[in-house]
Amino acid sequence: LLRELMRYAIERGYRTDNPVEHVRTMGETPRDRYITDSELRRIKVHACRGADQLDTRSGPMLCALIDMAYLTGQRIGDLLTMEWAQVSDAGVAFKTAKTGRRVLIEWTPKLRDAIARLRRLRIERQAFTARVFTTQTGAPYTYSGAHTAWRRAVKRAGITGAHFHDLRAKALTDKEAREGMAAARAMGAHTTEAQTADYVRQKAARKTRATRWSERAVRSF
């Protein structure tokens, strides 16, 4: 970040050099957290039920957001800015803010159910705005609000190390396991399979056969 700030200052004529150009950055360990189906169910249960065991007001919307994150494999930023105009007879369309790439998530029964629940919430709250994810007052659901609600639900569920962004990894991991890397790449709107591979978690060891001895090697013994 400092390098970019200094580069900008040079471009604008505020500086003539970049004093942090050669400062090394610390390496970041890749995340390998995979949220299991059981953990996801527990998080959703505790999203709808507070510490007092009473229903939470934010629960239905948070659960719908969680379901959409898993079913579409999209980033939370693209989900929170999602508008009803993106929903069509063909499915739900996204244009990712990060790369500008487009992806159409085609309808499945569970995706239809999630959108139907969101429509009911829209009517119940009288939140007839362009945005799909809104608060009780109809205001756009913010990242801060979603993050806080998620963190509380995870804590009540007794689960550790689960970030909302891990739902995208879970979605792409499960997609890859069922339909292959190409399908996961399409869902993730990635340019290369290497980008998708960064999200795919290895839930279990890959299976493969032992190396076969060649006939020539066997005869040499």
Side-chain angles (χ1 to χ4, degrees), residues 2 6-7 10 33-34 46 55 65 69 89 96 98 102 110 112 136 142 156 169 179 188 196 198 209 220-221:
L2 284 173
M6 292 298 175
R7 182 187 60 77
I10 292 171
R33 181 69 160 89
Y34 175 80
H46 288 278
D55 292 343
L65 180 61
D89 292 340
T96 63
K98 187 174 182 179
R102 297 177 184 274
K110 288 188 176 181
R112 287 187 184 279
Q136 294 286 335
T142 65
R156 288 195 295 266
E179 302 177 34
T196 309
D198 288 339
R209 292 180 179 272
S220 67
F221 273 99

Side-chain angles (χ1 to χ4, degrees), residues 61 80 125-129 131-142:
M61 185 61 73
L80 292 176
R125 298 179 176 188
Q126 296 293 296
F128 299 113
T129 62
R131 290 286 181 89
V132 173
F133 294 98
T134 60
T135 64
Q136 294 286 335
T137 61
Y141 207 2
T142 65

